[in-house]
mmCIF file of all heavy atoms in Angstrom:
data_model
loop_
_atom_site.group_PDB
_atom_site.id
_atom_site.type_symbol
_atom_site.label_atom_id
_atom_site.label_comp_id
_atom_site.label_asym_id
_atom_site.label_seq_id
_atom_site.Cartn_x
_atom_site.Cartn_y
_atom_site.Cartn_z
ATOM 1 N N MET A 1106 18.146 -21.376 3.818
ATOM 2 C CA MET A 1106 17.347 -20.144 4.271
ATOM 3 C C MET A 1106 17.271 -19.159 2.968
ATOM 4 O O MET A 1106 18.241 -19.103 2.212
ATOM 5 C CB MET A 1106 18.213 -19.385 5.236
ATOM 6 C CG MET A 1106 18.318 -20.190 6.551
ATOM 7 S SD MET A 1106 16.868 -20.611 7.419
ATOM 8 C CE MET A 1106 16.505 -18.966 8.115
ATOM 9 N N ILE A 1107 16.085 -18.589 2.833
ATOM 10 C CA ILE A 1107 15.895 -17.637 1.798
ATOM 11 C C ILE A 1107 15.178 -16.415 2.410
ATOM 12 O O ILE A 1107 14.559 -16.538 3.467
ATOM 13 C CB ILE A 1107 14.976 -18.164 0.648
ATOM 14 C CG1 ILE A 1107 13.555 -18.605 1.186
ATOM 15 C CG2 ILE A 1107 15.576 -19.289 -0.091
ATOM 16 C CD1 ILE A 1107 12.565 -18.950 0.017
ATOM 17 N N LEU A 1108 15.329 -15.273 1.761
ATOM 18 C CA LEU A 1108 14.760 -14.048 2.270
ATOM 19 C C LEU A 1108 13.472 -13.648 1.396
ATOM 20 O O LEU A 1108 13.795 -13.299 0.240
ATOM 21 C CB LEU A 1108 15.702 -12.918 2.312
ATOM 22 C CG LEU A 1108 15.229 -11.554 2.848
ATOM 23 C CD1 LEU A 1108 14.874 -11.662 4.253
ATOM 24 C CD2 LEU A 1108 16.320 -10.524 2.629
ATOM 25 N N VAL A 1109 12.284 -13.842 1.875
ATOM 26 C CA VAL A 1109 11.098 -13.464 1.125
ATOM 27 C C VAL A 1109 10.917 -11.966 1.220
ATOM 28 O O VAL A 1109 10.935 -11.366 2.346
ATOM 29 C CB VAL A 1109 9.842 -14.200 1.763
ATOM 30 C CG1 VAL A 1109 8.561 -13.742 0.917
ATOM 31 C CG2 VAL A 1109 10.000 -15.674 1.494
ATOM 32 N N VAL A 1110 10.850 -11.284 0.086
ATOM 33 C CA VAL A 1110 10.781 -9.852 0.080
ATOM 34 C C VAL A 1110 9.449 -9.292 -0.555
ATOM 35 O O VAL A 1110 9.261 -8.018 -0.515
ATOM 36 C CB VAL A 1110 12.001 -9.246 -0.691
ATOM 37 C CG1 VAL A 1110 13.306 -9.535 -0.057
ATOM 38 C CG2 VAL A 1110 12.037 -9.793 -2.252
ATOM 39 N N GLY A 1111 8.662 -10.128 -1.000
ATOM 40 C CA GLY A 1111 7.340 -9.730 -1.534
ATOM 41 C C GLY A 1111 6.507 -10.837 -2.026
ATOM 42 O O GLY A 1111 6.960 -11.984 -2.018
ATOM 43 N N TYR A 1112 5.295 -10.496 -2.512
ATOM 44 C CA TYR A 1112 4.391 -11.502 -3.051
ATOM 45 C C TYR A 1112 3.415 -10.836 -3.949
ATOM 46 O O TYR A 1112 3.207 -9.590 -4.001
ATOM 47 C CB TYR A 1112 3.677 -12.206 -1.919
ATOM 48 C CG TYR A 1112 2.746 -11.315 -1.075
ATOM 49 C CD1 TYR A 1112 1.383 -11.166 -1.340
ATOM 50 C CD2 TYR A 1112 3.264 -10.565 -0.026
ATOM 51 C CE1 TYR A 1112 0.562 -10.344 -0.712
ATOM 52 C CE2 TYR A 1112 2.402 -9.717 0.742
ATOM 53 C CZ TYR A 1112 1.093 -9.592 0.427
ATOM 54 O OH TYR A 1112 0.337 -8.801 1.102
ATOM 55 N N ASP A 1113 2.799 -11.616 -4.837
ATOM 56 C CA ASP A 1113 1.596 -11.157 -5.631
ATOM 57 C C ASP A 1113 0.529 -12.340 -5.407
ATOM 58 O O ASP A 1113 0.559 -12.997 -4.527
ATOM 59 C CB ASP A 1113 2.057 -10.994 -7.113
ATOM 60 C CG ASP A 1113 2.516 -12.254 -7.868
ATOM 61 O OD1 ASP A 1113 2.246 -13.429 -7.380
ATOM 62 O OD2 ASP A 1113 3.261 -12.028 -8.869
ATOM 63 N N LYS A 1114 -0.340 -12.390 -6.468
ATOM 64 C CA LYS A 1114 -1.568 -13.166 -6.294
ATOM 65 C C LYS A 1114 -1.065 -14.682 -6.242
ATOM 66 O O LYS A 1114 -1.863 -15.552 -5.583
ATOM 67 C CB LYS A 1114 -2.482 -12.969 -7.559
ATOM 68 C CG LYS A 1114 -3.753 -13.775 -7.533
ATOM 69 C CD LYS A 1114 -4.586 -13.486 -8.693
ATOM 70 C CE LYS A 1114 -5.732 -14.297 -8.717
ATOM 71 N NZ LYS A 1114 -6.621 -13.986 -9.883
ATOM 72 N N ASN A 1115 -0.051 -15.122 -6.853
ATOM 73 C CA ASN A 1115 0.328 -16.532 -6.943
ATOM 74 C C ASN A 1115 1.717 -16.860 -6.460
ATOM 75 O O ASN A 1115 1.974 -18.099 -6.275
ATOM 76 C CB ASN A 1115 0.230 -16.968 -8.402
ATOM 77 C CG ASN A 1115 -1.203 -16.808 -8.991
ATOM 78 O OD1 ASN A 1115 -2.119 -17.249 -8.453
ATOM 79 N ND2 ASN A 1115 -1.223 -16.152 -10.135
ATOM 80 N N ASN A 1116 2.544 -15.940 -6.117
ATOM 81 C CA ASN A 1116 3.930 -16.248 -5.840
ATOM 82 C C ASN A 1116 4.522 -15.389 -4.696
ATOM 83 O O ASN A 1116 4.006 -14.273 -4.459
ATOM 84 C CB ASN A 1116 4.772 -15.889 -7.194
ATOM 85 C CG ASN A 1116 4.433 -16.588 -8.372
ATOM 86 O OD1 ASN A 1116 4.436 -17.813 -8.410
ATOM 87 N ND2 ASN A 1116 3.815 -15.875 -9.284
ATOM 88 N N PHE A 1117 5.525 -15.955 -4.157
ATOM 89 C CA PHE A 1117 6.404 -15.235 -3.247
ATOM 90 C C PHE A 1117 7.675 -14.777 -4.102
ATOM 91 O O PHE A 1117 8.059 -15.496 -4.980
ATOM 92 C CB PHE A 1117 6.955 -16.023 -2.075
ATOM 93 C CG PHE A 1117 5.871 -16.205 -1.080
ATOM 94 C CD1 PHE A 1117 5.442 -17.489 -0.665
ATOM 95 C CD2 PHE A 1117 5.447 -15.155 -0.319
ATOM 96 C CE1 PHE A 1117 4.593 -17.703 0.390
ATOM 97 C CE2 PHE A 1117 4.507 -15.284 0.662
ATOM 98 C CZ PHE A 1117 4.098 -16.535 1.028
ATOM 99 N N TYR A 1118 8.210 -13.582 -3.795
ATOM 100 C CA TYR A 1118 9.509 -13.190 -4.345
ATOM 101 C C TYR A 1118 10.554 -13.111 -3.393
ATOM 102 O O TYR A 1118 10.274 -12.736 -2.197
ATOM 103 C CB TYR A 1118 9.352 -11.816 -4.997
ATOM 104 C CG TYR A 1118 8.374 -11.928 -6.274
ATOM 105 C CD1 TYR A 1118 7.065 -11.732 -6.022
ATOM 106 C CD2 TYR A 1118 8.834 -12.064 -7.471
ATOM 107 C CE1 TYR A 1118 6.133 -11.839 -7.108
ATOM 108 C CE2 TYR A 1118 7.953 -12.254 -8.554
ATOM 109 C CZ TYR A 1118 6.637 -12.073 -8.294
ATOM 110 O OH TYR A 1118 5.691 -12.188 -9.515
ATOM 111 N N PHE A 1119 11.752 -13.672 -3.659
ATOM 112 C CA PHE A 1119 12.775 -13.882 -2.602
ATOM 113 C C PHE A 1119 14.111 -13.667 -3.162
ATOM 114 O O PHE A 1119 14.379 -13.679 -4.399
ATOM 115 C CB PHE A 1119 12.628 -15.339 -2.055
ATOM 116 C CG PHE A 1119 12.841 -16.452 -3.044
ATOM 117 C CD1 PHE A 1119 14.131 -17.013 -3.197
ATOM 118 C CD2 PHE A 1119 11.918 -16.914 -3.837
ATOM 119 C CE1 PHE A 1119 14.398 -17.959 -4.004
ATOM 120 C CE2 PHE A 1119 12.134 -17.815 -4.839
ATOM 121 C CZ PHE A 1119 13.428 -18.398 -4.805
ATOM 122 N N HIS A 1120 15.078 -13.517 -2.260
ATOM 123 C CA HIS A 1120 16.507 -13.454 -2.536
ATOM 124 C C HIS A 1120 17.032 -14.839 -2.096
ATOM 125 O O HIS A 1120 16.693 -15.213 -0.928
ATOM 126 C CB HIS A 1120 17.175 -12.341 -1.897
ATOM 127 C CG HIS A 1120 16.689 -10.899 -2.233
ATOM 128 N ND1 HIS A 1120 16.181 -10.649 -3.648
ATOM 129 C CD2 HIS A 1120 16.453 -9.830 -1.568
ATOM 130 C CE1 HIS A 1120 15.809 -9.368 -3.644
ATOM 131 N NE2 HIS A 1120 16.044 -8.879 -2.388
ATOM 132 N N ASP A 1121 17.888 -15.442 -2.846
ATOM 133 C CA ASP A 1121 18.380 -16.723 -2.527
ATOM 134 C C ASP A 1121 20.049 -16.657 -2.459
ATOM 135 O O ASP A 1121 20.616 -16.276 -3.475
ATOM 136 C CB ASP A 1121 18.109 -17.845 -3.553
ATOM 137 C CG ASP A 1121 18.539 -19.190 -3.200
ATOM 138 O OD1 ASP A 1121 19.359 -19.297 -2.283
ATOM 139 O OD2 ASP A 1121 18.091 -20.081 -4.008
ATOM 140 N N PRO A 1122 20.662 -16.847 -1.307
ATOM 141 C CA PRO A 1122 22.110 -16.600 -1.242
ATOM 142 C C PRO A 1122 22.885 -17.739 -1.853
ATOM 143 O O PRO A 1122 24.115 -17.700 -1.858
ATOM 144 C CB PRO A 1122 22.293 -16.509 0.228
ATOM 145 C CG PRO A 1122 21.267 -17.329 0.818
ATOM 146 C CD PRO A 1122 20.046 -17.201 -0.083
ATOM 147 N N ASP A 1123 22.242 -18.806 -2.325
ATOM 148 C CA ASP A 1123 22.988 -19.954 -2.928
ATOM 149 C C ASP A 1123 23.922 -19.476 -4.110
ATOM 150 O O ASP A 1123 23.405 -18.789 -4.991
ATOM 151 C CB ASP A 1123 22.011 -21.037 -3.369
ATOM 152 C CG ASP A 1123 22.795 -22.247 -3.907
ATOM 153 O OD1 ASP A 1123 23.199 -23.089 -3.014
ATOM 154 O OD2 ASP A 1123 22.897 -22.433 -5.131
ATOM 155 N N LYS A 1124 25.150 -19.834 -4.045
ATOM 156 C CA LYS A 1124 26.160 -19.412 -5.053
ATOM 157 C C LYS A 1124 25.832 -20.011 -6.410
ATOM 158 O O LYS A 1124 26.169 -19.478 -7.447
ATOM 159 C CB LYS A 1124 27.598 -19.712 -4.606
ATOM 160 C CG LYS A 1124 27.945 -18.901 -3.435
ATOM 161 C CD LYS A 1124 29.363 -19.137 -3.050
ATOM 162 C CE LYS A 1124 29.532 -18.284 -1.684
ATOM 163 N NZ LYS A 1124 30.659 -17.871 -1.276
ATOM 164 N N LYS A 1125 25.296 -21.242 -6.476
ATOM 165 C CA LYS A 1125 25.160 -21.942 -7.659
ATOM 166 C C LYS A 1125 23.857 -21.557 -8.427
ATOM 167 O O LYS A 1125 23.822 -21.276 -9.558
ATOM 168 C CB LYS A 1125 25.146 -23.499 -7.505
ATOM 169 C CG LYS A 1125 25.079 -24.331 -8.635
ATOM 170 C CD LYS A 1125 25.052 -25.767 -8.310
ATOM 171 C CE LYS A 1125 24.545 -26.610 -9.335
ATOM 172 N NZ LYS A 1125 24.326 -28.051 -8.999
ATOM 173 N N CYS A 1126 22.747 -21.538 -7.567
ATOM 174 C CA CYS A 1126 21.422 -21.444 -8.179
ATOM 175 C C CYS A 1126 20.663 -20.159 -7.727
ATOM 176 O O CYS A 1126 19.601 -19.915 -8.201
ATOM 177 C CB CYS A 1126 20.569 -22.593 -7.807
ATOM 178 S SG CYS A 1126 21.150 -24.182 -8.322
ATOM 179 N N GLY A 1127 21.245 -19.432 -6.868
ATOM 180 C CA GLY A 1127 20.605 -18.290 -6.198
ATOM 181 C C GLY A 1127 20.689 -17.069 -6.934
ATOM 182 O O GLY A 1127 21.086 -17.038 -8.104
ATOM 183 N N GLY A 1128 20.238 -15.992 -6.291
ATOM 184 C CA GLY A 1128 20.300 -14.635 -6.826
ATOM 185 C C GLY A 1128 19.084 -13.796 -6.269
ATOM 186 O O GLY A 1128 18.312 -14.323 -5.475
ATOM 187 N N PRO A 1129 19.044 -12.568 -6.704
ATOM 188 C CA PRO A 1129 17.962 -11.640 -6.104
ATOM 189 C C PRO A 1129 16.685 -11.815 -6.968
ATOM 190 O O PRO A 1129 16.779 -12.213 -8.111
ATOM 191 C CB PRO A 1129 18.675 -10.300 -6.328
ATOM 192 C CG PRO A 1129 19.496 -10.379 -7.502
ATOM 193 C CD PRO A 1129 20.072 -11.947 -7.421
ATOM 194 N N ASN A 1130 15.603 -11.421 -6.417
ATOM 195 C CA ASN A 1130 14.429 -11.327 -7.117
ATOM 196 C C ASN A 1130 13.921 -12.516 -7.855
ATOM 197 O O ASN A 1130 13.468 -12.425 -8.880
ATOM 198 C CB ASN A 1130 14.309 -10.137 -7.917
ATOM 199 C CG ASN A 1130 14.631 -8.777 -7.137
ATOM 200 O OD1 ASN A 1130 14.061 -8.635 -6.167
ATOM 201 N ND2 ASN A 1130 15.570 -7.979 -7.663
ATOM 202 N N LYS A 1131 13.965 -13.654 -7.164
ATOM 203 C CA LYS A 1131 13.571 -14.930 -7.811
ATOM 204 C C LYS A 1131 12.088 -15.068 -7.331
ATOM 205 O O LYS A 1131 11.637 -14.505 -6.382
ATOM 206 C CB LYS A 1131 14.403 -16.076 -7.309
ATOM 207 C CG LYS A 1131 15.849 -15.840 -7.801
ATOM 208 C CD LYS A 1131 16.704 -17.110 -7.511
ATOM 209 C CE LYS A 1131 16.666 -17.894 -8.728
ATOM 210 N NZ LYS A 1131 17.523 -18.269 -9.677
ATOM 211 N N LYS A 1132 11.312 -16.024 -7.947
ATOM 212 C CA LYS A 1132 9.970 -16.304 -7.569
ATOM 213 C C LYS A 1132 9.732 -17.732 -7.355
ATOM 214 O O LYS A 1132 10.312 -18.572 -7.887
ATOM 215 C CB LYS A 1132 8.925 -15.623 -8.455
ATOM 216 C CG LYS A 1132 8.675 -16.406 -9.730
ATOM 217 C CD LYS A 1132 7.666 -15.577 -10.606
ATOM 218 C CE LYS A 1132 7.412 -16.364 -11.884
ATOM 219 N NZ LYS A 1132 6.474 -15.733 -12.701
ATOM 220 N N ILE A 1133 8.785 -18.011 -6.447
ATOM 221 C CA ILE A 1133 8.370 -19.357 -6.130
ATOM 222 C C ILE A 1133 6.849 -19.312 -5.902
ATOM 223 O O ILE A 1133 6.338 -18.458 -5.232
ATOM 224 C CB ILE A 1133 9.132 -19.959 -4.887
ATOM 225 C CG1 ILE A 1133 8.772 -21.507 -4.737
ATOM 226 C CG2 ILE A 1133 8.790 -19.136 -3.580
ATOM 227 C CD1 ILE A 1133 9.658 -22.068 -3.670
ATOM 228 N N SER A 1134 6.108 -20.237 -6.513
ATOM 229 C CA SER A 1134 4.625 -20.351 -6.383
ATOM 230 C C SER A 1134 4.370 -20.691 -4.851
ATOM 231 O O SER A 1134 5.140 -21.303 -4.079
ATOM 232 C CB SER A 1134 3.981 -21.443 -7.235
ATOM 233 O OG SER A 1134 4.411 -22.748 -6.754
ATOM 234 N N PHE A 1135 3.159 -20.247 -4.435
ATOM 235 C CA PHE A 1135 2.761 -20.480 -3.116
ATOM 236 C C PHE A 1135 2.681 -22.064 -2.783
ATOM 237 O O PHE A 1135 3.032 -22.559 -1.700
ATOM 238 C CB PHE A 1135 1.294 -19.988 -2.810
ATOM 239 C CG PHE A 1135 1.301 -18.419 -2.790
ATOM 240 C CD1 PHE A 1135 0.154 -17.735 -3.196
ATOM 241 C CD2 PHE A 1135 2.295 -17.608 -2.358
ATOM 242 C CE1 PHE A 1135 0.068 -16.393 -3.145
ATOM 243 C CE2 PHE A 1135 2.300 -16.362 -2.275
ATOM 244 C CZ PHE A 1135 1.089 -15.677 -2.746
ATOM 245 N N LYS A 1136 2.240 -22.719 -3.842
ATOM 246 C CA LYS A 1136 2.065 -24.234 -3.683
ATOM 247 C C LYS A 1136 3.522 -24.878 -3.472
ATOM 248 O O LYS A 1136 3.668 -25.673 -2.568
ATOM 249 C CB LYS A 1136 1.460 -24.814 -4.994
ATOM 250 C CG LYS A 1136 1.305 -26.393 -4.860
ATOM 251 C CD LYS A 1136 0.532 -26.796 -6.224
ATOM 252 C CE LYS A 1136 0.323 -28.280 -6.175
ATOM 253 N NZ LYS A 1136 -0.369 -28.692 -7.382
ATOM 254 N N LYS A 1137 4.515 -24.515 -4.271
ATOM 255 C CA LYS A 1137 5.825 -25.058 -4.159
ATOM 256 C C LYS A 1137 6.384 -24.612 -2.831
ATOM 257 O O LYS A 1137 7.076 -25.407 -2.086
ATOM 258 C CB LYS A 1137 6.773 -24.613 -5.272
ATOM 259 C CG LYS A 1137 8.106 -25.388 -5.143
ATOM 260 C CD LYS A 1137 8.974 -25.151 -6.365
ATOM 261 C CE LYS A 1137 10.327 -25.815 -6.045
ATOM 262 N NZ LYS A 1137 11.186 -25.720 -7.240
ATOM 263 N N PHE A 1138 6.239 -23.360 -2.468
ATOM 264 C CA PHE A 1138 6.855 -22.841 -1.204
ATOM 265 C C PHE A 1138 6.301 -23.648 0.001
ATOM 266 O O PHE A 1138 6.956 -24.025 0.839
ATOM 267 C CB PHE A 1138 6.509 -21.342 -0.932
ATOM 268 C CG PHE A 1138 6.938 -20.837 0.387
ATOM 269 C CD1 PHE A 1138 8.302 -20.502 0.564
ATOM 270 C CD2 PHE A 1138 6.144 -20.948 1.438
ATOM 271 C CE1 PHE A 1138 8.693 -20.067 1.817
ATOM 272 C CE2 PHE A 1138 6.500 -20.435 2.714
ATOM 273 C CZ PHE A 1138 7.833 -20.077 2.946
ATOM 274 N N LYS A 1139 4.997 -23.873 0.040
ATOM 275 C CA LYS A 1139 4.343 -24.625 0.991
ATOM 276 C C LYS A 1139 4.923 -26.014 1.188
ATOM 277 O O LYS A 1139 5.217 -26.517 2.207
ATOM 278 C CB LYS A 1139 2.839 -24.725 0.917
ATOM 279 C CG LYS A 1139 2.065 -25.415 1.965
ATOM 280 C CD LYS A 1139 0.596 -25.281 1.750
ATOM 281 C CE LYS A 1139 -0.097 -26.028 2.873
ATOM 282 N NZ LYS A 1139 -1.549 -26.141 2.642
ATOM 283 N N LYS A 1140 5.175 -26.709 0.070
ATOM 284 C CA LYS A 1140 5.710 -27.964 -0.036
ATOM 285 C C LYS A 1140 7.146 -27.960 0.581
ATOM 286 O O LYS A 1140 7.522 -28.889 1.237
ATOM 287 C CB LYS A 1140 5.737 -28.546 -1.496
ATOM 288 C CG LYS A 1140 6.182 -29.880 -1.746
ATOM 289 C CD LYS A 1140 6.174 -30.286 -3.078
ATOM 290 C CE LYS A 1140 6.632 -31.649 -3.415
ATOM 291 N NZ LYS A 1140 6.673 -31.977 -4.777
ATOM 292 N N CYS A 1141 7.954 -27.038 0.236
ATOM 293 C CA CYS A 1141 9.294 -26.878 0.629
ATOM 294 C C CYS A 1141 9.378 -26.573 2.078
ATOM 295 O O CYS A 1141 10.342 -26.903 2.827
ATOM 296 C CB CYS A 1141 10.065 -25.890 -0.161
ATOM 297 S SG CYS A 1141 10.251 -26.150 -1.945
ATOM 298 N N TRP A 1142 8.476 -25.708 2.589
ATOM 299 C CA TRP A 1142 8.558 -25.289 3.999
ATOM 300 C C TRP A 1142 7.849 -26.309 4.939
ATOM 301 O O TRP A 1142 8.494 -26.569 6.010
ATOM 302 C CB TRP A 1142 7.740 -23.935 4.112
ATOM 303 C CG TRP A 1142 7.770 -23.379 5.439
ATOM 304 C CD1 TRP A 1142 8.956 -22.800 6.033
ATOM 305 C CD2 TRP A 1142 6.764 -23.171 6.375
ATOM 306 N NE1 TRP A 1142 8.697 -22.288 7.235
ATOM 307 C CE2 TRP A 1142 7.269 -22.510 7.471
ATOM 308 C CE3 TRP A 1142 5.505 -23.430 6.444
ATOM 309 C CZ2 TRP A 1142 6.604 -22.165 8.621
ATOM 310 C CZ3 TRP A 1142 4.640 -23.176 7.483
ATOM 311 C CH2 TRP A 1142 5.213 -22.451 8.596
#
Side-chain angles (χ1 to χ4, degrees):
M1106 300 296 284
I1107 60 172
L1108 180 63
V1109 177
V1110 295
Y1112 65 93
D1113 63 19
K1114 185 177 177 184
N1115 300 308
N1116 305 290
F1117 284 120
Y1118 293 88
F1119 64 95
H1120 300 323
D1121 183 352
D1123 185 79
K1124 291 182 187 204
K1125 180 180 167 189
C1126 302
N1130 300 314
K1131 301 190 88 107
K1132 75 177 179 180
I1133 186 172
S1134 70
F1135 292 149
K1136 183 178 179 178
K1137 183 173 180 181
F1138 175 84
K1139 184 177 179 183
K1140 183 178 178 182
C1141 296
W1142 188 67

